[in-house]
Amino acid sequence: ERQGVPRRPMADRGIEGSRIAIEASQHPLATNFGNSVSYPSVDYLLRIAACRRARHRRQRNMTSSAPEVPATMKTCVIREHGDANVLNVVNDFPTPTLSAGSVIVQNKFAGLNFIDTYHRKGLYPRKLPFVAGQEGGGIIVAVSPEAEAAGFSIGQTVTYMAFGSYAEYTAVPASKCVAVPDGLDLDVAVACMVQGLTAHYLVSSAHADLIKPGEWMLIYSVGSGTCQWAAQMAKLRGYKVLGTTSKGKLEIAKGIGCDELIVLDCLEGKSYADYKSIDIAAKVKEITGGAGCKCIIDGVGASTYEISLGCLARRGIFISFGNASGAVPAFPVLRLNAKSAFVTRPKLGDYISDPEEFANRCSDVFNWLKEGKLKVGIDKTFDLESAVDGHKYLEQGKSKGKVLYTI
């Protein structure tokens, strides 16, 4: 009553209300005024009790997996390095357990990326056996207290970057998880993680501001994968974009918005074009008036690094981020002297290791998509049972956008 809330009659308060009323006079907040006692209202104490019960229920949910999470699950396991046929889909793999600072996600989609093929082959070693994949999205079914404190909850739709995404369930550190915003489909949000964030750091950070708006950036393979994103983001940041594409992906490349395109012959059964079919360095000099490109983004690798070095402008930077045609071999650093050039071999993990940086990159990409400034194509989806076919599709150069597994 002191709070302006009238007390309900005792009969309306039930057994618990009666018990609390009897105990209220001993409550620490009770105050004696002569022969009368003023104590917190029963309604107030009932609200406190209800809050405590709700808190206890949340704590039980946060510290254990939801009842519907099974002990085993379907997943794609790699037990030895090799070609796509080493991908092994099983139905009785142990479901991951919840640990401090993490959530358990029931996956709806897993993203397929070239880095998955590098892990499979052993180019980027991981301890065997391991569950394939490092990008996915779905519904949170269990959440730790630390993750709950970070804003995550059971039933929330999220996308993430974490190992083990080719599976029905994945344990994900909260720091690698992001809520899918309203208005963005889950499959598109999953596509943002590896390819979208890679493109973001390549065109915004990896060049260390050695290129300025209005200067030329050369991006290989703008008709597929990560570099579809990179070319669009480069234009958003004001760079002039010179893209390469194979004839087979020309129509897609035309829609990306490059200022200039160099069109190459296809290499049958390969994930990259025939980079000997045109003198790219001569074409770049012609387009740039002999100056060359201040930044080169090269995910092709062995087939293009010599070309890239020849296309650099004075004090330009060569960013080698992929190995589609094989890894770039060692070369003498003295070769950079001719143009006082720079070279870097970055990886995404070092550009999202800080939670704030990760969140900011996700926010940029999500907002550009919602505003219609970025186009993302889901090229093809495979069932997880067809994991082998998905890897072969990617490595044979057939993809013209994002490839996903449905779980």
Side-chain angles (χ1 to χ4, degrees):
E1 288 175 344
R2 285 178 300 167
Q3 300 169 354
V5 179
R7 299 182 184 180
R8 290 180 292 164
M10 184 65 71
D12 293 343
R13 300 172 188 164
I15 295 173
E16 185 175 20
S18 300
R19 177 183 59 78
I20 292 178
I22 293 170
E23 295 176 354
S25 61
Q26 283 83 45
H27 193 276
L29 296 181
T31 306
N32 286 304
F33 291 96
N35 295 324
S36 63
V37 178
S38 176
Y39 52 84
S41 72
V42 172
D43 291 308
Y44 172 77
L45 293 174
L46 282 170
R47 289 197 296 270
I48 293 296
C51 289
R52 286 172 178 167
R53 288 195 301 272
R55 185 180 65 212
H56 292 156
R57 284 195 299 270
R58 287 197 304 271
Q59 287 174 341
R60 286 196 300 269
N61 287 335
M62 287 186 287
T63 56
S64 62
S65 295
E68 65 270 19
V69 178
T72 60
M73 64 177 181
K74 180 189 298 181
T75 189
C76 180
V77 183
I78 295 177
R79 304 185 189 280
E80 60 179 325
H81 294 131
D83 63 19
N85 293 302
V86 303
L87 295 166
N88 184 24
V89 178
V90 299
N91 293 305
D92 57 354
F93 198 82
T95 303
T97 56
L98 188 66
S99 59
S102 70
V103 299
I104 301 292
V105 177
Q106 183 177 13
N107 294 312
K108 303 300 181 184
F109 296 99
L112 174 53
N113 300 284
F114 261 104
I115 195 170
D116 300 345
T117 70
Y118 304 156
H119 291 147
R120 191 201 73 218
K121 295 174 183 176
L123 180 63
Y124 295 172
R126 289 179 59 189
K127 185 178 179 180
L128 295 167
F130 63 87
V131 176
Q134 64 171 58
E135 169 189 64
I139 308 299
I140 292 178
V141 294
V143 58
S144 67
E146 297 85 358
E148 193 267 348
F152 295 102
S153 59
I154 290 174
Q156 193 173 19
T157 301
V158 295
T159 185
Y160 64 85
M161 285 185 59
F163 287 139
S165 63
Y166 290 14
E168 288 183 296
Y169 298 91
T170 304
V172 183
S175 60
K176 300 300 182 185
C177 202
V178 60
V180 176
D182 293 339
L184 196 64
D185 291 338
L186 178 58
D187 57 349
V188 174
V190 172
C192 291
M193 287 293 97
V194 173
Q195 291 185 352
L197 296 184
T198 296
H200 189 281
Y201 91 79
L202 288 173
V203 304
S204 64
S205 303
H207 52 62
D209 292 329
L210 292 169
I211 180 173
K212 305 300 181 188
E215 296 181 320
W216 283 102
M217 177 181 284
L218 171 62
I219 305 177
Y220 293 94
S221 303
V222 296
S224 59
T226 299
C227 289
Q228 274 191 38
W229 297 76
Q232 295 176 79
M233 292 181 191
K235 289 298 298 177
L236 288 171
R237 293 190 173 276
Y239 307 129
K240 291 196 288 186
V241 178
L242 197 169
T244 76
T245 185
S246 65
K247 291 177 180 177
K249 299 179 181 180
L250 178 58
E251 291 307 310
I252 293 174
K254 284 181 177 179
I256 297 303
C258 296
D259 296 278
E260 296 282 349
L261 278 174
I262 298 175
V263 184
L264 307 162
D265 292 340
C266 299
L267 277 178
E268 189 65 31
K270 299 293 185 181
S271 62
Y272 50 93
D274 182 359
Y275 290 97
K276 295 180 180 179
S277 60
I278 286 182
D279 187 341
I280 295 176
K283 194 71 175 174
V284 167
K285 288 180 181 178
E286 176 188 333
I287 292 169
T288 63
C293 294
K294 289 301 291 281
C295 178
I296 296 175
I297 295 178
D298 184 346
V300 181
S303 295
T304 51
Y305 82 97
E306 289 279 5
I307 299 170
S308 295
L309 291 171
C311 292
L312 279 170
R314 183 176 290 109
R315 294 170 62 181
I317 183 167
F318 166 33
I319 303 173
S320 175
F321 79 97
N323 316 283
S325 65
V328 173
F331 61 86
V333 70
L334 189 60
R335 292 189 60 182
L336 303 174
N337 175 257
K339 296 180 179 178
S340 297
F342 299 82
V343 63
T344 182
R345 183 45 173 98
K347 66 179 185 295
L348 174 59
D350 288 330
Y351 287 85
I352 57 170
S353 59
D354 177 75
E356 183 176 358
E357 187 175 25
F358 175 61
N360 288 340
R361 293 193 192 281
C362 288
S363 178
D364 279 353
V365 176
F366 288 163
N367 286 336
W368 284 335
L369 284 166
K370 291 173 69 175
E371 293 166 5
K373 295 179 180 179
L374 279 180
K375 301 175 185 177
V376 55
I378 305 300
D379 173 48
K380 193 172 180 66
T381 59
F382 292 86
D383 292 334
L384 185 59
E385 290 85 350
S386 302
V388 171
D389 295 334
H391 273 231
K392 288 181 177 179
Y393 182 82
L394 191 68
E395 292 181 295
Q396 290 169 0
K398 295 180 180 179
S399 67
K400 298 180 180 179
K402 185 63 182 178
V403 181
L404 298 171
Y405 290 120
T406 54
I407 311 297

